[in-house]
Amino acid sequence: MRKIYLGVLALYLGILSSHAQTKPQPAKDSTNYESRKLKIDEINFVSAYYHQDGNNSAVTGGIGTEKLTDFANTLDLQMSRYSKTGKKHTFNFELGVDHYTSASSDKIDPYSLSSASMQDTRIYPSLNWTISNDKTGNAFGVTASYSHEFDYQSFGGGINLTRLSKNKNTQFDFKANVFLDTWKVILPVELRPPGYGSGSEKDDNRPVDYKPRNSFSTSFSLSQVLTSRLQAALIVEPSYQHGLLATKYQRDYFTDGSARVENLPDNRYKLPIGLRFNYFLDDHFIIRTFYRYYMDNWGIRAHTAEIEIPVKLTSFVSVSPFYRYNTQVGTRYFAPYGQHNPNAQFYTSDYDLSSLHSNFVGANIRLSPPNGVFGSEHFSSLELRAGHYMRSTGLNSNIVTLAMKFK
């Protein structure tokens, strides 16, 4: 079925190209302004398959299967036109669809044949409009987004700003985003108050709560060309969340044998700071390195280091092996199964928030023939990326990503 979709997409691009070649060209007016209509710059299609397994499910209090699969697809359409003032208007529309199955989510209500979140589909369209000046490189844009799945929906908005120095060696980027989410509060079956619903839309009309979660994030990036071979970038991304930050269908077990739903503070500050260095060794090798320090007010501290070395094998084939290491000090609210203090105000057994270290290794291969992939002039590049993730808590995962670009 995917081949059919790609065939239709390639055919559509061919029709557009043919149509553009046969249409009469607009005449220039007396003011020397050349009308440039909206045109498609590129289309990107990315498809990824992800699978994980482990034995520390947060749904069942830190024990049990973490088996999960996710099949994610995004279609990115970029179009542009020039205004009478010579400014470039770029419109970027993205549509993402994820479908996942989670074995642990079915433990929310093990007495039902199918619980609320055993499998789900998430749909997330977004649209960005950016106005840029080709001469100066400066740009300003706005973004609107939406996301929906079974137990939450999100409305998002943001702005982006780019400023370049006159010699184009220094670039400053700023982004600000807000996401206004609403969560359906699904509780484990044995911890629901009398009359509280399952959250399922099938054969259950009992009420459930809905809670907000609002996120505000910013990103400051300063890039500098240091030499003809070396580039560097500093990235600071402070963010703030407020609302329901706990996942209420996750259980926690205490030293006195009692069980409660997860409870975490209703606000969270995050501060990641990153450094990136790219060194162009010669015409065949690039060394890309990245380091990030992370901290938040829940007590998590983390260090991440990554290296990727793209190797150009021929004029149109490159291979990029990569490796990433992460170490994390967990939140003060974490404890394993059955080890929470009954007097604690906040508690979680989600191992994503625990102390851990992880390794992620893989490679990316990219094809970009001058005559197009498989001889199709509009099929400009094809990439295949595979990675294997190993975490000290026992969680392992694999991901395979296919990316195609059409111009």
Side-chain angles (χ1 to χ4, degrees):
M1 182 61 74
R2 195 184 309 168
K3 292 181 179 178
I4 296 175
Y5 290 151
L6 295 178
V8 171
L9 187 60
L11 178 61
Y12 178 65
L13 288 171
I15 292 173
L16 289 178
S17 173
S18 174
H19 182 64
Q21 291 170 2
T22 56
K23 284 191 64 175
Q25 296 300 310
K28 294 181 178 178
D29 64 18
S30 58
T31 62
N32 293 325
Y33 164 66
E34 183 178 0
S35 177
R36 301 179 67 175
K37 295 184 177 180
L38 190 66
K39 67 180 183 68
I40 297 176
D41 290 333
E42 62 181 55
I43 298 175
N44 292 281
F45 179 75
V46 179
S47 183
Y49 176 78
Y50 171 84
H51 176 77
Q52 72 170 42
D53 204 356
N55 196 34
N56 294 117
S57 169
V59 174
T60 43
I63 58 172
T65 179
E66 295 176 274
K67 186 175 290 185
L68 181 147
T69 61
D70 183 77
F71 183 49
N73 299 280
T74 60
L75 177 65
D76 181 277
L77 174 63
Q78 182 176 307
M79 299 178 291
S80 68
R81 65 179 293 271
Y82 282 86
S83 66
K84 291 183 178 180
T85 59
K87 299 289 181 61
K88 184 179 183 181
H89 294 246
T90 302
F91 303 90
N92 195 300
F93 173 73
E94 182 179 292
L95 176 63
V97 180
D98 293 4
H99 181 77
Y100 73 85
T101 61
S102 170
S104 63
S105 291
D106 204 37
K107 304 298 182 183
I108 297 170
D109 190 348
Y111 303 116
S112 65
L113 294 178
S114 180
S115 64
S117 300
M118 179 182 178
Q119 60 179 335
D120 202 359
T121 299
R122 182 170 73 104
I123 301 173
Y124 45 102
S126 66
L127 178 64
N128 174 265
W129 173 26
T130 295
I131 303 173
S132 58
N133 187 320
D134 286 347
K135 293 181 180 178
T136 64
N138 297 332
F140 175 79
V142 294
T143 300
S145 64
Y146 175 74
S147 180
H148 175 81
E149 62 183 293
F150 179 81
D151 55 352
Y152 98 101
Q153 66 174 356
S154 174
F155 295 92
I159 60 171
N160 57 278
L161 174 73
T162 297
R163 287 290 182 269
L164 258 70
S165 63
K166 289 184 178 179
N167 61 9
K168 306 291 180 67
N169 285 336
T170 305
Q171 177 174 328
F172 173 75
D173 291 282
F174 170 75
K175 293 181 181 178
N177 291 289
V178 56
F179 296 97
L180 307 177
D181 305 346
T182 301
W183 284 88
K184 178 188 291 187
V185 183
I186 298 171
L187 302 177
V189 60
E190 76 278 13
L191 299 177
R192 294 171 190 160
Y196 196 89
S198 66
S200 172
E201 295 174 349
K202 297 179 180 178
D203 303 325
D204 190 353
N205 296 320
R206 293 174 298 172
V208 297
D209 287 338
Y210 288 84
K211 296 290 185 182
R213 175 186 296 178
N214 301 325
S215 302
F216 309 88
S217 64
T218 55
S219 173
F220 304 86
S221 172
L222 182 64
S223 305
Q224 178 67 47
V225 177
L226 299 175
T227 70
S228 60
R229 294 181 180 272
L230 182 62
Q231 298 177 357
L234 171 66
I235 305 136
V236 183
E237 299 176 309
S239 64
Y240 171 70
Q241 287 183 297
H242 180 76
L244 178 63
L245 304 186
T247 306
K248 290 297 185 180
Y249 57 70
Q250 296 181 169
R251 302 167 173 87
D252 288 286
Y253 295 90
F254 293 78
T255 54
D256 62 358
S258 63
R260 305 173 201 169
V261 298
E262 182 181 81
N263 192 36
L264 290 168
D266 61 3
N267 64 79
R268 189 178 186 185
Y269 302 91
K270 303 177 184 178
L271 181 60
I273 301 174
L275 279 173
R276 185 181 300 279
F277 290 95
N278 293 338
Y279 186 75
F280 298 83
L281 190 62
D282 55 29
D283 291 339
H284 296 280
F285 292 89
I286 303 173
I287 301 174
R288 295 174 177 163
T289 60
F290 178 70
Y291 167 78
R292 188 182 78 154
Y293 176 73
Y294 171 90
M295 61 179 295
D296 66 24
N297 65 325
W298 289 5
I300 294 178
R301 301 289 184 269
H303 301 270
T304 303
E306 181 174 342
I307 183 168
E308 181 172 1
I309 305 177
V311 182
K312 195 173 183 178
L313 301 179
T314 72
S315 59
F316 58 87
V317 178
S318 63
V319 177
S320 305
F322 62 86
Y323 171 73
R324 184 176 70 209
Y325 177 77
N326 172 256
T327 181
Q328 171 178 297
V329 175
T331 175
R332 63 181 71 93
Y333 310 123
F334 174 84
Y337 179 87
Q339 296 186 26
H340 281 290
N341 184 336
N343 298 318
Q345 181 182 6
F346 301 113
Y347 32 83
T348 179
S349 292
D350 187 343
Y351 275 71
D352 289 345
L353 305 177
S354 70
S355 295
L356 55 86
H357 62 269
S358 65
N359 298 276
F360 184 50
V361 61
N364 180 80
I365 182 168
R366 183 174 188 271
L367 309 177
S368 57
N371 297 324
V373 180
F374 303 132
S376 174
E377 60 177 321
H378 295 295
F379 193 174
S380 62
S381 70
L382 173 67
E383 290 187 57
L384 181 65
R385 188 178 184 91
H388 179 62
Y389 176 79
M390 301 152 284
R391 199 160 80 176
S392 57
T393 62
L395 177 71
N396 293 295
S397 68
N398 294 287
I399 184 169
V400 179
T401 304
L402 178 69
M404 293 172 286
K405 177 179 290 187
F406 300 86
K407 285 189 174 180

